[in-house]
Each structure stands twice: as C-alpha cells, then as structure tokens.
Amino acid sequence: MQKIRLLALLMCVLDGANWASGQIAVIGDGGPGPVKAQHLTAELVSLGPAIAPGGTQEVGLVLTMDEHWHVYWINAGDSGEPPKITWTLPEGVTSGPMQFPIPSRLPLGPLMDFGYEDEVAFPLILSAASTMKPGPVHLDARISWLVCSQVCLPGKAHLGLDLMVQPGAPQVEQEPKLGALGEAMTLLPKPLPAGAKFSVTGDKQRFALTLVDGKPETDAEFYPLKDNNSSSDKDQTDVIANAATQSIESRRDGMRLYVKRSPDLPNLPATLHGVFKLSDAVAYDVSAPVVQVDSVATGSGMPSPTGVTATGAIGLAFLGGVILNLMPCVFPVLFLKGLALVQSSTQDRGHVRRHGLVYALGILASFWAIVAVLLVLRATGSHAGWGFQLQSPVFIAVLASFMFFFALSLAGQFDIGLSLTSMGGSLAEKQGYAGSFFTGVLATVVATPCTAPLMGAAIGFALAQTAAVTFAVFTALALGLAAPYVLLSWQPAWARMLPRPGAWMEVLKQFTAVPLFATAIWLVWVYGQLYAPGKGVDQVALLLGCFLLLAIAGWVLGRWPARWSSRIAAVVLLGLGLAIPLSQVRGAGRARAATATGGQASGASANGAELVWEPYSEQALDAARAAGHPVFIDFTAAWCLSCQFNERAVLRSADVESALRKGGVVTLKADWTNDDPEITKKLASVGRGGVPTYVLYPAAAGSAADVLPELLTKDLVLAAIARDVK
C-alpha cells in the first residue's frame, strides 16, 4: 500500500518542483477575484467590509471546481496537498489559521483521498490591534492549491482584499452568515456537545471509535488529524487504512465505528485525533487516548455494517428459518415428512412427537456442524459464508448422487425399508428414528443453496461476531427451519386434520420423486459450473456414469430386497459409482466467463440491446465510482436457486435492464460459485454472509451502499435505481 501511495504522490512532487522553479504561472493582480485557473476559480471574500480596532473579521478563500475535479482537506488522504494562503499584512493585522469544513471521501482506484468537490470556502479570522488608526488597509495573499481528477494540476494566484479600519464595525458574530463563506462557517467541525463522550480502543488490525451522545446514530466516517499536543515528528494522519470500509454498529445512545488500522503503523498511537463525521452538516473534532486491547470486539461483539443487534439477528434468523421451509430447495423434504406424519397419524401421540423432536435434532446437529467449520475457518484466517460447502465438487458429487438414489427409491424402483426388515423389529424402530434424524440433516443440506428473506442480514451479522453470538444466530435459524414440522407433530388437533392413509400416498410419494430428479439434474449442472470451460462437460459425463451404477444398484435392491448379497452388491456398486467422479476431481476453478464489453463503462452492449455484466473486482468497482458511475453488484452463484430465479425473473427483465442502461449503471457480477476470498470479504463489508446479495452504489462519491433484499421484485429494483441514480 505504501508503494502505491508513493507512486500516487510522485506527480504532486514533480508538480511542486515545477512550481518552486517558477514554471507555473501566477494568476490575479492582487485584487479579490474571482480569477479563473485550470479547472478551478479562486476568490477572496469577507463577511463584512470593515474591521474595528481591537476587533475581528472573518475572511475566506472560495474555490469553485469544474465537475469531477476536487481539492483537498487538511489531511489529503492517500495523495494530494491542501490549499495554502501566505499573507502579507499591514502592521497591526494578524491572521489565524485557515479552517477546513467537513470533508468527503473521494475514492480514486485503490486509494482514498479526503477533500471537496463543486465549491468550498476556507474561513479564517483576521484580528486588528486596538492601536490601529481608522482608514483603508490592503491584505495581500499568495494562494496555492492542487486540483485533481484523473490527473493533478497545481496552481497559484495573487489575490487581495481591501478592508476599512472603522471604530464600531460589527464583530464576526454580529455579521450575517451569507454566501459560501457563511455556509462554510456553519460546516466547521465542532467540539463534542456537553455530556457526549468519545473513546478509542485498538488492536493489531483495527480501531473501535465509540461515540456516546444520547441518541442512536446510523451513519459516520472518521478522518484522522495530527495531534497538536504530540511532540512526535511522525505524520500522525497515517494511522488508518484510508480506503478500507468503515463499519458501523448503531447503539441506543450513540454508535461504534470500526476503522481498519494502517498496515504501515508499527505501534498504536498514544492518542487518536480527527474529525468524526455524522452527516454532511454535522461533525465533531474529537481526540482520545488509544486503549490497547487483544480484540476491539471485547465486551461488545464485532461490527455490524447494517446496524443489526444480536437480539435482532436471532429473531431474523428464526423467521428466516421458518420461511426457508417454503423455498424450492427445502419444500420437497418437508413434504415427505408430511407424508410420514400422515402415515403415522394412527400411532401413539408420544411416538409422533418423538419423531418430530429427532427431526429437529438432525437439523440442529447439522447447523452446529456448519458453525463449527465456519469458526475453524475464521480462526485460521480464512473466510466462508452460507452455502460454502456447495463450492466443493466432492460435496456436490456426493449430494447429487444421494438425491438421484433417493429419487429412485421414491419412484418405486426399490424400497429401502424392505431391505432392512430382516434386521428385527427393534432395529426397525431405531431405523425409524434414524430416518427422522437424517431427514433433518437432508433438510439442512438442501437448504444451503437458498437464502430466504431476513436470513441475509442475520447470517452476515453472525459471521462477524464472537463464537457465542454466531452459535446463537445459527441455532435460531435451525429452530426456525424445524419449527413447522415439530409444531405439526406436537399438536394432535392439527394432525387429525390431515387425510387418512391410503393408496394415494404411494402415488404421491412416487410423484415426489420428480422434483428430486430435477434437483439431481440441477446439481449436475452446478457440478459442471465448478470447472473451467472445456473441463465441465467431461466431469458431468463422469457423474452421469456414477448415476448409471446407482440405477443398477437400485435395481439389485428392488429385485432381491431382503437378501444380504443384494445389499452387499448395492454397496459395492455405490462405492464404484462415486469413485468415478471423485477420482477425477481436480482442476475445479473459476468458471466466470468475462464478457467483452468493448470498454463501455455504462454496462450496455454496443447496440444497447443487451445489458453486459462485467466480472466483479474491487478495482472495477473503484474505477467505476471514481468515474462518477452508479454501480450495481449481483453477488450470485450457480448453485444458488434464489439467485437464478432473481436473475431470470427480475434482473433480465426488459424494464430493469432499460432502467439500468438509462441510469448509466455499471453492472458487475460477483460469481461466488467457487470460493473467492475477495467476494467473501466484500459480502462481509456490506453485512452479508452469503448469496443472493444485491448492492447498488449511488453515483455520488462516498455514498453508502444500498443493500437490497434477498428476493427481488421489479418494482423494488426500479425504486432503488430511481433512488440512487441521480
């Protein structure tokens, strides 16, 4: 990062050398202006025409930039230099320091600058000695600046102001706050209000900045400043990673802001000083000693970019789990459990309830296993999210084979239960409970390709929290998934409303094989997507060969259902079948095919008939935003059913594509089919832990991401485009 920053500053250094050698022309004749320079107009103004002996007057430098050009704050960020004023003043007149209004973040590629676009005024206070005689005085100023867009241009001007020294002239506080200077005076960072508190903790990776002001805050940015009380010669503004996302945790009495520590900072500073910006109109000049901790999450949890609390995340997870039962991945499994409940409706009530609890236990155990893997990955520095196992070709091959084999049984080729009758009644009873347990496991496995509404925010929050909070959120999700069947099995009145068992159940069971066969076909397609172009077809053929041996194994079980020899033969065939694709699992890699766009930043094809989705990268996002384009990111995966539905039903619709083209929106596709740490990190930065996730960045520099719900509608997307594309 330091090398990138030095390269970015090189132009400024060279420009400064040219300036010092007198190669940059000075504009202006010593008057107030305005004077026009390259991409910038400069002017000196004052609130009033006079200053009293012993009094003060507010004056200021006003800079107006061309569109997409900017000047810098006192801490320019990763590159740049702030404007400067050098005064030549008459005897008796002194000048205070130039003051800087609230800045904005200005992304430029991998860098982040701090400054101003459009127009800005820099106030300063002039003081007149009480011994000054009445009459006119001239204030002479030499102005220097650096104005930048894709390139940086230094400039300088000779300006001046004429004031009248006049007894009884209004003081600064008596002058009306008019024009750009008056507005800038209202936008200067202020001291913390009475009763408000600011504190800082830091660890090896980040700072946690806590503001307590008595009301919930939902938006903030931090801009570091040099600590004026420090005797260190080190540039104390270089303490944070300027371009990193600053995550917000809203609280009832304020907020906590998490800021990444600069990789070039060897030790924590004794004090952190800067501007804590709550909005374009409100910011505080803050300073606090830095308390070193093992983790800034101690006692409060990790940051939540969405402002979700632990209690809220648990509630969202439970409701999301309930809704997950209606998703196309899980509903067939719940339907099969419903058939089992109908079949057992005449059995003892306690027996039915125990099956419901065992089914729930299967779901809980599966979710706990997922949490354990996620926590181990996080402890080793890796990142993963909801559905991460579907990025594994081995897992997909085994799951697809199981779905196909299970569908053969439902279709009537063989009956798993008949092959187990010789093992005795007591073992058959155990098998029944085992069946309920593993049906819960199956429900969890097939749920991972889907993300139900409300789940995204809950999972994104959980993956950034302590182990206890992560465990609690995923447990709530598991309980929500299990709740409908458990309630149905626990409430006898509901069970009696179900139809009586009969021959219709066998027909319906065979019909249920259809969606399972369809799921197996879809998993085969996903399996091929995990491989690079040209390799996927070969791998799919091997997996289909596995299916052939599975079908033969099913025929053996159906032909000789109660024989040990048939079961042994079936197991051998199953093993041989799985060995075919698994022995060749290699070369799985990125399957994202970058679509050529001919360099069109708008995201539309040359003829405007089709929207082009560029592959996501942080560089592509930064470049589009630096160019002033709004950006829509589709976080998707081949194995995500909700993603495929949203893309076909909404994102590819004529209305949405037309709105995206008209708004000049750059469309990026973040394909998470294979593990991609960059995409996983970006998901976490917007408070999500899986796909589908949809993010729309407004065109305005520094604007917060607009994160859309997991399930889209045309109206919802069109409203977001209208809201963010201005």
Side-chain angles (χ1 to χ4, degrees):
M1 181 64 190
Q2 186 67 21
K3 291 181 179 179
I4 296 175
R5 184 173 178 179
L6 289 174
L7 288 173
L9 287 170
L10 181 59
M11 177 177 289
C12 299
V13 173
L14 294 176
D15 287 337
N18 291 336
W19 193 345
S21 63
Q23 296 180 14
I24 296 177
V26 179
I27 60 174
D29 57 1
V35 294
K36 176 65 178 174
Q38 286 185 296
H39 304 289
L40 176 149
T41 300
E43 182 180 11
L44 278 181
V45 297
S46 66
L47 284 185
I51 184 171
T56 58
Q57 182 57 271
E58 192 91 22
V59 302
L61 170 65
V62 179
L63 300 179
T64 305
M65 286 70 70
D66 290 351
E67 187 175 6
H68 303 311
W69 289 78
H70 61 267
V71 294
Y72 294 95
W73 188 52
I74 187 172
N75 168 16
D78 284 329
S79 63
E81 290 289 336
K84 295 181 176 65
I85 300 180
T86 302
W87 291 100
T88 301
L89 300 173
E91 186 176 354
V93 178
T94 57
S95 169
M98 190 163 69
Q99 298 173 293
F100 289 75
I102 301 170
S104 296
R105 289 163 63 90
L106 304 172
L108 183 63
L111 306 179
M112 181 67 70
D113 294 337
F114 305 144
Y116 313 92
E117 293 181 313
D118 300 325
E119 183 182 70
V120 61
F122 301 97
L124 54 88
I125 296 178
L126 295 178
S127 300
S130 59
T131 57
M132 288 195 70
K133 297 179 180 180
V137 292
H138 180 74
L139 316 174
D140 191 86
R142 300 283 174 165
I143 315 295
S144 64
W145 64 81
L146 191 67
V147 60
C148 298
S149 180
Q150 299 300 316
V151 297
C152 291
L153 300 173
K156 56 183 179 177
H158 178 201
L159 301 178
L161 274 177
D162 291 317
L163 290 180
M164 181 65 67
V165 178
Q166 177 181 318
Q171 298 293 313
V172 170
E173 56 271 17
Q174 298 171 319
E175 298 277 8
K177 307 299 187 290
L178 301 176
L181 177 58
E183 181 182 9
M185 292 173 64
T186 66
L187 297 179
L188 296 175
K190 301 172 179 61
L192 280 174
K197 297 179 180 179
F198 176 75
S199 60
V200 181
T201 58
D203 62 16
K204 294 180 180 180
Q205 296 182 333
R206 56 195 174 273
F207 297 95
L209 287 61
T210 303
L211 174 69
V212 177
D213 62 358
K215 58 183 183 296
E217 302 287 357
T218 58
D219 195 14
E221 294 172 349
F222 179 73
Y223 299 80
L225 284 170
K226 179 177 175 60
D227 184 5
N228 295 326
N229 297 321
S230 173
S231 59
S232 172
D233 293 329
K234 178 177 173 55
D235 181 9
Q236 293 176 305
T237 61
D238 191 19
V239 295
I240 71 171
N242 295 323
T245 300
Q246 299 186 1
S247 302
I248 299 166
E249 181 182 57
S250 181
R251 299 182 168 192
R252 287 178 297 179
D253 58 353
M255 70 179 317
R256 177 167 287 181
L257 184 68
Y258 294 83
V259 182
K260 184 178 178 181
R261 176 175 163 177
S262 170
D264 301 320
L265 185 67
N267 301 303
L268 288 173
T271 303
L272 191 64
H273 178 213
V275 169
F276 201 91
K277 176 181 174 181
L278 298 181
S279 69
D280 290 338
V282 178
Y284 299 126
D285 189 312
V286 294
S287 182
V290 178
V291 178
Q292 184 169 355
V293 295
D294 292 335
S295 171
V296 297
T298 301
S300 60
M302 296 284 287
S304 169
T306 58
V308 177
T309 63
T311 302
I314 291 172
L316 291 175
F318 181 82
L319 293 176
V322 173
I323 299 173
L324 196 58
N325 286 278
L326 303 177
M327 304 299 286
C329 335
V330 185
F331 187 74
V333 177
L334 185 63
F335 177 72
L336 290 175
K337 287 304 297 177
L339 286 181
L341 190 61
V342 171
Q343 197 166 14
S344 60
S345 60
T346 58
Q347 296 180 357
D348 176 71
R349 181 186 305 174
H351 175 83
V352 175
R353 289 179 174 178
R354 286 192 294 272
H355 272 279
L357 294 176
V358 171
Y359 168 75
L361 183 60
I363 292 177
L364 282 168
S366 303
F367 271 87
W368 290 339
I370 292 174
V371 172
V373 173
L374 291 174
L375 292 177
V376 169
L377 289 173
R378 191 170 75 187
T380 58
S382 301
H383 298 275
W386 177 249
F388 71 96
Q389 62 269 42
L390 289 165
Q391 297 169 340
S392 165
V394 173
F395 183 86
I396 292 289
V398 173
L399 179 59
S401 300
F402 174 79
M403 285 291 184
F404 181 76
F405 195 63
F406 190 34
L408 290 176
S409 175
L410 291 177
Q413 187 185 38
F414 67 96
D415 192 326
I416 295 178
L418 288 178
S419 66
L420 297 171
T421 53
S422 61
M423 300 177 68
S426 61
L427 187 57
E429 179 71 12
K430 293 179 182 178
Q431 170 64 22
Y433 288 126
S436 292
F437 180 87
F438 284 105
T439 304
V441 174
L442 176 63
T444 304
V445 170
V446 298
T448 51
C450 290
T451 301
L454 309 180
M455 276 180 58
I459 292 175
F461 175 87
L463 294 179
Q465 299 303 304
T466 60
V469 175
T470 303
F471 179 85
V473 172
F474 274 83
T475 298
L477 182 58
L479 292 175
L481 180 60
Y485 180 76
V486 171
L487 291 176
L488 193 61
S489 64
W490 203 259
Q491 180 51 255
W494 295 352
R496 285 195 296 269
M497 295 172 61
L498 299 173
R500 291 181 177 276
W504 64 271
M505 293 178 58
E506 184 64 25
V507 176
L508 197 55
K509 185 183 75 170
Q510 293 174 357
F511 178 77
T512 307
V514 174
L516 291 183
F517 277 126
T519 302
I521 293 171
W522 166 69
L523 287 170
V524 170
W525 176 79
V526 171
Y527 185 72
Q529 296 296 308
L530 294 176
Y531 292 86
K535 297 290 185 181
V537 174
D538 296 339
Q539 296 297 327
V540 165
L542 294 175
L543 186 54
L544 293 178
C546 169
F547 284 5
L548 175 61
L549 288 184
L550 296 184
I552 296 174
W555 174 79
V556 170
L557 289 175
R559 181 69 178 81
W560 299 286
R563 296 185 182 180
W564 276 103
S565 58
S566 66
R567 291 197 292 273
I568 293 173
V571 170
V572 171
L573 288 169
L574 288 172
L576 291 175
L578 286 172
I580 293 175
L582 298 186
S583 64
Q584 299 296 317
V585 171
R586 63 176 182 269
R590 311 257 183 262
R592 295 178 298 188
T595 306
T597 63
Q600 299 173 63
S602 68
S605 62
N607 58 14
E610 182 181 356
L611 198 68
V612 175
W613 292 82
E614 293 280 1
Y616 167 80
S617 69
E618 193 70 20
Q619 292 76 18
L621 172 61
D622 291 340
R625 299 200 71 194
H629 292 287
V631 182
F632 188 100
I633 307 178
D634 173 14
F635 293 89
T636 184
W639 41 260
C640 171
L641 286 177
S642 303
C643 303
Q644 306 306 318
F645 174 81
N646 287 337
E647 289 175 10
R648 286 162 175 76
V650 179
L651 297 183
R652 295 182 187 174
S653 66
D655 292 343
V656 171
E657 288 194 341
S658 175
L660 290 169
R661 281 196 300 270
K662 289 179 180 178
V665 181
V666 174
T667 48
L668 302 178
K669 178 168 289 189
D671 192 335
W672 208 45
T673 299
N674 298 101
D675 179 37
D676 189 320
E678 183 180 7
I679 293 176
T680 306
K681 181 180 178 181
K682 191 63 180 178
L683 282 168
S685 74
V686 295
R688 291 293 186 266
V691 293
T693 294
Y694 306 97
V695 179
L696 181 56
Y697 285 94
S703 299
D706 190 355
V707 183
L708 306 185
E710 293 87 348
L711 293 183
L712 299 179
T713 64
K714 291 182 184 179
D715 290 343
L716 190 152
V717 176
L718 292 174
I721 295 172
R723 178 173 64 246
D724 296 325
V725 178
K726 297 179 181 178

